[in-house]
């Protein structure tokens, strides 16, 4: 019996050793193949990560609004595209192309670059762009598995964006070095009506650095993976050519293969021969190793899932996570007690761009972190707080209280009651809040979040630092503004707009010495639409640079009809933001052969209120060209006498509200005389707007104004009517005295 057992043990022992030896040999041969597969998958995931970063800003309604118009909102693109993608996702270069694949924005080496920077990359990136625009057949690059596209199938709320968007990601050689590159179209994620024509294209370039290889190595447990210019020749080391999708050899990926079969042959086999005990010990070690590897993979997967749903800077849930949470809470409402509502609040930090511009982006990031922490402490434990990017946050709460929206607004506002300490500076900060509630304001994710965004816009329009709840009237206003925007675009293309001219009269001679160019629009069905209605819409829609250039060209062209007149033209604050205003003015004066000193460019105080170095340089440049400048509507808004001292103007235009009240308001007369005295002391001419009666004309002249403008002399007329008006106009002498009339002192108030 003993012999049989020994024979059986011997037989099974030999059989076991043979099986182990064969398994070791087989494992050694397949280990490298498995590692190659893991490496290829990890590289594809890295390309997908580049596209994920681009998607976080490209699939966004605000991006389409700010980037999708005729011009780029440079400040928005620099913060939300260049700075965000560089600092959060490690992109080295960011480009935006228009529908003709021409560069309209470049960000490189941590700063905004000229659009010519893309021309250095056009040849290298041409196949990538062609693939996005025309499909794989148009690309000369190696086809890769669409890892990014596969992951988008999991998002139900991004279906609209996924269907509308196109993308491509590859490894190509940039400046002779390998880089992960991605390109994706800029499309809306909620309101698809914003997408018109061919979408803009966002491109990101992330060079493959040692840190990139280290990240890949950790993800597949190849700790010594490295990219070398030449193959590594050493025992147990695998060197694979690393060829980009453009066919360029980028070097060699080298690593030490794990060779699990070698472990079986050199360790396990002798231990089996030593006995069952040693086999048990080895098995235990193997299980522990497998458990550790499994745990590490699970932890990495959990970290990846967390990163995909959270903002890197603040650590808060991101837009995607927020939408998922809203969707889940809306599904619960049907089974919740009566009166329970889901309340969504959008939060936007007021004038955040000013903080970035004055203190720097690093201080801006610190403020975002501080606001995140402050909001977290002020909100309830079950309130869901997310960051949507830039300076936008969102809160979702469930409440059964009738005033739950205002209670939430109070909790949010309390976070901004005290200033923030950033880099040893105390910064007072306010915020605008837009609130929408379900089911009253919508039963879907799209409706609720879109209505909260509309309420936020209304709050900022009303002057910031306030909370506004959505109403049906707001939606109607948005629809009306959208319809006007669509019609305005068509009117610009068909040149249906007109420029009318209102005469400006000299107080000294009583004759017409100038005219102000005023934009007019007669809609085919809505009738006459006031500039006060459509100009703000044009500014928000990104139409103002194009529209402003059109007005300048029309006014300069028309001015040749009246060589004796000085022509005044309003400049929108948006035109100061665009970088080519000086170029446009130079081109127009050369093309039409006119003298700049015949034109007065009028700007509002809003331009000076948020004046930057760029604004100041543009103002100085147009003055150096010979154009005159005027401060328009002085006396309204944030009027400050410092503007008159800090900025050199040729004229001041007193707002019509003071002119209208001059007959019955002592305060208005005092202000007018003060402005006239200071302005003329600084060598400026004074123009009174809105003169409608003879009394107002005489009073303004006696106070020391040099020019008058208003319906008392003439309403704005079409260009063809201005010439006949000048011929028929009879000068009205209103000679001003050498000194302004003294202002009567107010009598004491009797009880």
């Amino acid at each position: 019996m003993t012999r049989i057992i020994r024979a059986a043990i011997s037989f099974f022992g030999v059989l076991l050793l043979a099986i182990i030896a064969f398994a070791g040999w087989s494992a050694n041969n397949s280990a490298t193949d498995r590692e190659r597969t893991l490496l290829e998958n990890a590289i594809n995931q890295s390309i997908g990560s580049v596209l994920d970063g681009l998607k976080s800003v490209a699939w966004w309604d605000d991006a389409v609004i700010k980037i999708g118009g005729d011009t780029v909102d440079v400040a928005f693109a620099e913060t939300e595209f260049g700075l965000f993608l560089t600092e959060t996702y490690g992109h080295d270069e960011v480009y935006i192309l228009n529908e003709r694949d021409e560069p309209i924005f470049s960000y490189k080496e941590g700063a905004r670059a000229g659009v010519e920077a893309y021309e250095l990359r056009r040849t290298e990136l041409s196949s990538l762009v062609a693939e996005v625009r025309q499909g794989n057949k148009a690309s000369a690059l190696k086809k890769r598995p669409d890892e990014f596209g596969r992951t988008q199938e999991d998002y139900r709320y991004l279906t609209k964006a996924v269907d509308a968007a196109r993308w491509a990601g590859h490894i190509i050689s940039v400046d002779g070095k390998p880089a992960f590159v991605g390109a994706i179209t800029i499309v809306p994620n909620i309101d698809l009506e914003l997408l018109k024509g061919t979408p803009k294209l966002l491109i990101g370039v992330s060079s493959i650095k040692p840190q990139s290889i280290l990240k890949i190595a950790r993800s597949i447990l190849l700790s010594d993976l490295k990219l070398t210019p030449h193959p590594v020749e050493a025992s147990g080391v695998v060197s694979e050519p690393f060829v980009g999708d453009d066919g360029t050899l980028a070097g060699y990926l080298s690593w030490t293969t794990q060779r699990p079969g070698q472990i079986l042959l050199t360790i396990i086999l002798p231990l089996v021969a030593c006995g069952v005990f040693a086999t048990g010990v080895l098995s235990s070690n193997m299980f522990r190793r497998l458990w550790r590897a499994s745990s590490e993979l699970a932890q990495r997967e959990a970290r990846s899932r967390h990163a995909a749903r959270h903002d890197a800077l603040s650590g808060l849930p991101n837009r995607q996570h927020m939408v998922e949470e809203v969707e889940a809470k809306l599904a619960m409402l049907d089974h919740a007690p009566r009166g329970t509502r889901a309340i969504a609040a959008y939060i936007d930090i007021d004038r955040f761009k000013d903080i970035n511009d004055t203190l720097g982006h690093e201080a801006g990031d610190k403020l975002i972190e501080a606001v995140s922490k402050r909001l977290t402490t002020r909100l309830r434990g079950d309130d869901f707080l997310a960051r949507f990017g830039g300076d936008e946050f969102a809160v979702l709460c469930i409440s059964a209280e009738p005033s739950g929206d205002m209670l939430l607004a109070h909790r949010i506002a309390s976070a901004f009651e005290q200033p923030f300490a950033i880099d040893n500076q105390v910064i007072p900060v306010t915020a605008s809040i837009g609130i929408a509630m379900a089911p009253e304001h919508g039963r879907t994710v799209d409706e609720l979040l879109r209505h909260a965004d509309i309420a936020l816009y209304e709050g900022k329009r009303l002057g910031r630092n306030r909370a506004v709840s959505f109403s049906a009237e707001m939606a109607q206003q948005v629809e009306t503004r959208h319809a006007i925007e669509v019609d305005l675009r068509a009117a610009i293309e068909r040149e249906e707009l007109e420029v009318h001219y209102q005469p400006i009269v000299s107080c000294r001679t009583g004759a017409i010495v100038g005219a102000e160019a005023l934009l007019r629009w007669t809609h085919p069905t809505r009738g006459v639409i006031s500039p006060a209605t459509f100009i703000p819409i044009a500014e928000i829609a990104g139409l103002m640079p194009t529209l402003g250039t059109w007005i300048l060209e029309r006014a300069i062209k028309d001015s040749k009809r009246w060589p004796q007149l000085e022509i005044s033209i309003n400049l929108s604050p948006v035109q100061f933001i665009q970088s080519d205003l000086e170029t446009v003015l130079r081109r127009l004066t050369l093309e039409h052969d006119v003298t700049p000193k015949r034109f007065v460019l009028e700007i509002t105080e809003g331009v000076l209120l948020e004046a930057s170095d760029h604004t100041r340089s543009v103002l100085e440049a147009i003055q150096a060209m010979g154009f005159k400048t005027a401060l328009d509507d002085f006396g309204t808004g944030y009027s400050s006498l410092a503007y008159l001292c800090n900025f050199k103007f040729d004229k001041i235009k007193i707002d019509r509200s003071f002119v209208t009240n001059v007959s019955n308001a002592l305060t208005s007369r005092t202000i007018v005389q003060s402005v006239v005295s200071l302005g003329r002391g600084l060598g400026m001419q004074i123009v009174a707007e809105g003169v409608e009666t003879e009394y107002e004309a005489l009073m303004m002249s006696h106070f020391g104004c040099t020019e008058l403008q208003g319906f008392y002399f003439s309403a704005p007329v079409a260009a063809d009517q201005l010439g006949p008006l000048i011929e028929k106009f009879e000068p009205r002498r209103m000679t001003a005295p050498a000194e302004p009339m003294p202002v009567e002192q107010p009598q004491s108030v009797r009880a």
Side-chain angles (χ1 to χ4, degrees), residues 506-510 697-698 701-705 732-738:
S506 168
C507 290
R508 184 177 61 84
T509 65
L698 291 173
S701 178
H702 289 168
F703 285 155
C705 292
R732 309 175 190 186
R733 291 191 176 277
M734 295 164 288
T735 304

Side-chain angles (χ1 to χ4, degrees), residues 316 347-349 368-380 383 385-387 391-395 408-416 420 431 433:
L316 296 175
I347 308 165
D348 187 274
I349 299 175
I368 292 296
E369 294 181 84
V371 170
S372 303
K373 294 176 182 177
R374 185 86 66 84
L375 284 171
T376 301
T377 61
R378 298 299 193 275
L379 297 173
R380 301 180 309 185
D383 291 340
L385 174 64
R387 183 189 176 213
D391 59 333
E392 286 192 1
F393 296 83
V395 179
L408 175 60
H410 178 74
R411 291 198 294 274
I412 295 171
S414 67
F416 297 91
F420 293 83
I433 307 166

Side-chain angles (χ1 to χ4, degrees), residues 401-644:
E401 300 186 45
S403 58
D405 55 339
M406 290 298 100
L407 292 174
L408 175 60
H410 178 74
R411 291 198 294 274
I412 295 171
S414 67
F416 297 91
E417 290 176 349
Q418 299 298 322
F420 293 83
I422 306 295
D423 291 339
N424 298 321
Q425 297 192 59
V426 177
I427 306 175
V429 177
T430 61
S432 301
I433 307 166
I435 298 175
M437 297 174 287
E440 295 99 315
H441 302 149
R443 293 180 173 273
T444 67
V445 175
D446 289 355
E447 289 177 334
L448 188 63
L449 296 184
R450 180 162 55 87
H451 290 164
D453 196 31
I454 290 173
L456 174 64
Y457 172 83
E458 183 68 11
K460 297 184 81 67
R461 189 184 68 83
L462 293 174
R464 302 183 175 93
N465 190 22
R466 66 191 65 221
V468 175
S469 288
F470 174 80
S471 66
E473 290 77 12
M474 292 180 197
Q476 182 61 44
Q477 291 171 4
V478 169
E479 291 179 6
T480 301
R481 286 196 297 266
H482 179 69
I484 291 176
E485 177 190 336
V486 172
D487 292 344
L488 181 58
R489 290 181 184 274
I492 293 172
E493 292 177 0
R494 294 193 292 262
E495 295 191 357
E496 294 176 352
L497 301 174
E498 294 180 312
V499 176
H500 285 197
Y501 296 88
Q502 186 172 37
I504 299 174
V505 174
S506 168
C507 290
R508 184 177 61 84
T509 65
I512 296 176
V513 294
E516 180 179 0
L518 299 169
L519 189 62
R520 293 294 182 263
W521 179 23
T522 302
H523 191 277
T525 58
R526 299 177 187 269
V528 176
I529 300 180
S530 169
T533 298
F534 70 82
I535 290 296
I537 293 175
E539 291 180 336
I540 294 172
L543 298 174
M544 205 57 226
T546 300
L547 192 56
T549 300
W550 181 85
I551 298 170
L552 283 168
E553 184 163 18
R554 178 58 60 88
I556 290 175
K557 183 178 179 180
D558 288 344
S559 70
K560 293 184 176 182
R561 304 187 188 186
W562 323 290
Q564 76 280 18
L565 296 188
E566 192 175 68
I567 305 299
S568 297
I569 309 168
N570 287 284
L571 292 181
S572 165
V574 177
Q575 289 174 270
F576 273 81
I577 298 176
Q578 71 174 36
S579 59
D580 61 346
L581 177 59
E582 181 182 355
T583 303
V584 169
L585 290 171
R586 290 187 185 279
R587 176 179 62 82
L588 292 177
T589 52
L590 289 174
E591 284 183 2
H592 297 282
D593 190 24
V594 293
T595 304
K597 67 180 181 180
R598 283 192 56 209
F599 301 93
V600 181
L601 303 180
E602 300 181 3
I603 67 172
T604 61
E605 297 172 38
V607 174
L608 306 180
L609 179 65
E610 302 180 8
S612 62
D613 291 340
H614 174 71
T615 302
R616 187 182 297 273
S617 65
V618 171
L619 186 58
E620 292 174 350
I622 60 180
Q623 290 173 332
M625 292 168 60
F627 287 96
K628 296 180 180 179
T629 55
L631 180 57
D632 195 16
D633 296 335
F634 189 81
T636 61
Y638 298 90
S639 298
S640 171
L641 296 180
Y643 298 152
L644 306 183

Side-chain angles (χ1 to χ4, degrees), residues 88-108:
T88 304
Y89 289 95
H91 290 204
D92 299 296
E93 301 174 20
V94 178
Y95 304 103
I96 300 177
L97 308 185
N98 63 14
E99 59 275 3
R100 297 180 298 277
D101 295 331
E102 299 168 341
I104 55 177
F105 177 77
S106 299
Y107 197 90
K108 186 177 180 182

Side-chain angles (χ1 to χ4, degrees), residues 50-65:
V50 171
L51 288 169
D52 268 325
L54 298 176
K55 176 196 74 174
S56 67
V57 291
W59 294 359
W60 185 14
D61 288 9
D62 284 3
V64 176
I65 294 171

Side-chain angles (χ1 to χ4, degrees), residues 646-724:
N646 297 334
F647 298 90
K648 176 64 176 176
F649 291 100
D650 298 283
K651 294 186 179 185
I652 302 172
K653 302 194 75 173
I654 298 176
D655 185 67
R656 69 183 60 205
S657 61
F658 293 100
V659 176
T660 302
N661 291 329
V662 75
S663 61
N664 53 21
L666 182 59
T667 302
S668 294
R669 278 182 276 173
T670 304
I671 292 175
V672 169
Q673 285 188 292
S674 299
V675 172
V676 170
S677 178
L678 178 61
R680 296 196 66 170
L682 294 172
M684 303 178 190
Q685 292 183 314
I686 312 298
V687 184
E689 294 184 290
V691 176
E692 297 186 358
T693 67
E694 181 181 8
Y695 178 78
E696 291 172 355
L698 291 173
M699 289 291 287
M700 290 297 105
S701 178
H702 289 168
F703 285 155
C705 292
T706 54
E707 294 174 345
L708 305 176
Q709 175 183 350
F711 277 72
Y712 173 63
F713 303 103
S714 173
V717 297
D720 292 338
Q721 299 172 358
L722 183 58

